[in-house]
Amino acid sequence: DAKTTQPNSMESNEEEPVHLPCNHSTISGTDYIHWYRQLPSQGPEYVIHGLTSNVNNRMASLAIAEDRKSSTLILHRATLRDAAVYYCILQYNNNDMRFGAGTRLTVKP
Amino acid sequence: DAGVTQSPTHLIKTRGQQVTLRCSPKSGHDTVSWYQQALGQGPQFIFQYYEEEERQRGNFPDRFSGHQFPNYSSELNVNALWLGDSALYLCASSLLAARAYNEQFFGPGTRLTVL
């Protein structure tokens, strides 16, 4: 199974951009790259996903390397409400998602 | 739209007992996945139900079983509970369609403690 590697934790200042990296060197050609986040005492929530091209939505941007072996989730202006564990996930077989340990993002005021 | 709901919120059992957890999917969704999340770890995929059948299964023993009803709601059953089964159990729903990707919506989870 293809796996993802993320830093255990990162810190950011409020109102500054945050770049959360993810390595997935064994990704297959049809794997989607997903990002979910889990706020304290809640279930995970969808952030963004992509296949080959960079993606933007109201929450974040996803930059995917040309060889697809890494990606970066970009929060353009971190707020205190963005403090969460962020998971980078590769999708297998439509809906079978394998979570890693994720990156715990701390946002400082 | 109530989103994904799970019951109960918390549960305490003793070793050897059996437990049933329940999940109602988001309106319009037909697929339910179950995950186990131990403290400090990411969710681990248990299995997925679609059209009342187990469609995919993760690396969990057959003590873990499930069911999906005609209204798409689902149950997770765990027999012969171990201390190691203590975790947050998450249910996620989605719509299984012809396209390759479907966003999953997660419920708040059921916190199971095994003593």
Side-chain angles (χ1 to χ4, degrees), chain A residues 51-70:
Chain A
L51 185 60
T52 56
S53 303
N54 294 343
V55 184
N56 299 297
N57 67 19
R58 64 175 179 81
M59 289 181 68
S61 296
L62 176 60
I64 301 173
E66 193 169 338
D67 63 6
R68 300 207 330 125
K69 293 185 177 182
S70 65

Side-chain angles (χ1 to χ4, degrees), chain A residues 34-54:
Chain A
H34 302 251
W35 285 82
Y36 279 71
R37 72 179 186 182
Q38 189 170 20
L39 281 66
S41 302
Q42 295 186 25
E45 65 175 353
Y46 168 83
V47 177
I48 200 166
H49 80 281
L51 185 60
T52 56
S53 303
N54 294 343

